[in-house]
Amino acid sequence: MVAENNSPGTVLRAAITAECPLQLVGVINAYTALLAEQAGFRAIYLSGAGVANAAFGLPDLGLTTLTEVVNEVCRIVAVTDLPLLVDADTGWGDRLMIAHTVRSLARAGAAGLHLEDQVFGKRCGHRPGKVLISIDEMVTRIAAAVNGRIDDQFVIMARTDAYSVEGLEAAADRAQRYVAAGADMIFAEALQSLNEYQYFTQAVKVPVLANITEFGRTPLFTVKELQGAGVKIVLYPLTAFRVMAAAALKTYQILRQEGTQKRLIASMQTREELYEILGYYDDERQRDAFPLKEKI
């Protein structure tokens, strides 16, 4: 199916062209998507870890379902026009399920997804003990995703975890096979130097994403450094969530210890700031202008 000019996938592709490298920032819910939009980002990202950790209090071990992720996507795209890239882990099943995953996320309003080459029951990309599927099996996953598209601009990104298991050359070789199978972009997980990114981007002739996650194996390279290495997308999947979690824990500790929130006021978002982001007063005025009449 041919995409409309303003389809989410088209918008995401345009953002990658316009802002090179594109800063792709992780959101964990609809409200943080609004905050990312206010900060000026052109695109946003929904992490599998973000859904598992924030919505369910679970570790990032492939424990959430497609339905649960789709529900989060629907909430996010309902409040922002920013294109949303979604972490689809290993696709939640076989060829038919992967095609269903693509259609479900596209219909929910996502701009694209990424699939990874780990076995089902995956691990965090910066943890030891990762096990890969074969190249042929990953090619089958990608082909299923491409065949499942209802919009030819919906982004199919292939993530490879091969660097940590098989080395740089093998990871680049895998990526080339994934592109030949139809992947639009490549997510190169856990590379450790700019030279490695340079090698990877020269070997793979599609946009390459660098996952700049904190406390992982990849150093916190700057946008300018990654630009020089040929990276087209720079991802910060859980940065805001980690800051928020630390702030929330400190808040609870202070409330428990001091019995008052007075010391916290200066660090809070105000009620007025919240209302401005939500458009509270506009909605309130509409309700006042057209009040519902109570039935007797």
Side-chain angles (χ1 to χ4, degrees):
M1 181 182 295
V2 177
E4 298 179 3
N5 290 336
N6 62 344
S7 73
T10 302
V11 176
L12 177 58
R13 292 169 189 265
I16 294 168
T17 300
E19 181 182 310
C20 193
L22 175 69
Q23 286 186 295
L24 187 61
V25 67
V27 300
I28 58 166
N29 53 30
Y31 186 64
T32 54
L34 290 173
L35 296 176
E37 183 175 35
Q38 186 180 68
F41 287 95
R42 291 175 178 260
I44 51 178
Y45 173 77
L46 183 62
S47 158
V51 175
N53 300 165
F56 295 96
L58 292 172
D60 180 26
L61 290 169
L63 299 175
T64 52
T65 67
L66 171 61
T67 299
E68 290 163 346
V69 173
V70 165
N71 287 341
E72 294 298 332
V73 171
C74 289
R75 295 184 186 107
I76 290 167
V77 301
V79 300
T80 179
D81 292 327
L82 293 180
L84 175 67
L85 179 69
V86 180
D87 180 357
D89 286 340
T90 57
W92 288 288
D94 61 8
R95 297 179 59 96
L96 290 176
M97 188 62 193
I98 289 170
H100 174 61
T101 293
V102 171
R103 289 191 294 270
S104 297
L105 290 173
R107 287 172 178 148
L113 59 73
H114 65 77
L115 293 167
E116 61 195 63
D117 56 8
Q118 289 193 56
V119 297
F120 181 76
K122 50 73 63 81
R123 292 175 182 264
C124 169
H126 293 255
R127 293 287 299 154
K130 294 186 290 186
V131 179
L132 305 180
I133 59 175
S134 69
I135 294 174
D136 288 342
E137 188 175 351
M138 184 59 178
V139 164
T140 298
R141 283 182 183 175
I142 295 165
V146 172
N147 290 336
R149 279 200 286 215
I150 56 177
D151 166 10
D152 61 6
Q153 292 298 296
F154 184 87
V155 171
I156 305 296
M157 180 182 288
R159 169 177 147 173
T160 180
D161 285 80
Y163 170 82
S164 301
V165 180
E166 301 175 342
L168 180 62
E169 291 186 16
D173 289 344
R174 276 180 173 261
Q176 290 171 334
R177 288 285 301 277
Y178 301 165
V179 172
D184 301 305
M185 303 174 191
I186 294 292
F187 184 134
E189 180 68 307
L191 273 59
Q192 297 184 16
S193 75
L194 292 170
N195 286 339
E196 289 170 344
Y197 278 113
Q198 184 80 58
Y199 176 90
F200 207 96
T201 59
Q202 289 178 350
V204 180
K205 305 304 181 184
V206 298
V208 171
L209 178 149
N211 183 19
I212 308 302
T213 186
E214 304 82 19
F215 316 112
R217 297 187 175 187
T218 303
L220 301 184
F221 298 121
T222 67
V223 169
K224 187 173 182 180
E225 288 171 332
L226 291 164
Q227 181 184 52
V231 169
K232 302 298 184 185
I233 309 163
V234 182
L235 173 62
Y236 312 95
L238 291 170
T239 305
F241 172 64
R242 290 188 172 112
V243 174
M244 291 161 59
L249 178 58
K250 184 65 175 177
T251 295
Y252 294 140
Q253 290 170 338
I254 290 173
L255 279 172
R256 184 66 172 164
Q257 293 164 6
E258 300 182 10
T260 176
Q261 68 270 54
K262 290 180 181 179
R263 185 154 67 92
L264 299 166
I265 293 298
S267 61
M268 286 185 186
Q269 181 187 59
T270 67
R271 187 186 299 270
E272 288 299 317
E273 289 167 339
L274 172 67
Y275 285 0
E276 181 179 356
I277 291 167
L278 295 177
Y280 181 95
Y281 292 122
D282 289 339
D283 287 349
E284 189 177 57
R285 281 191 289 270
Q286 289 186 48
R287 173 165 290 178
D288 291 343
F290 302 98
L292 292 175
K293 294 183 179 179
E294 296 274 345
K295 290 185 178 181
I296 300 175

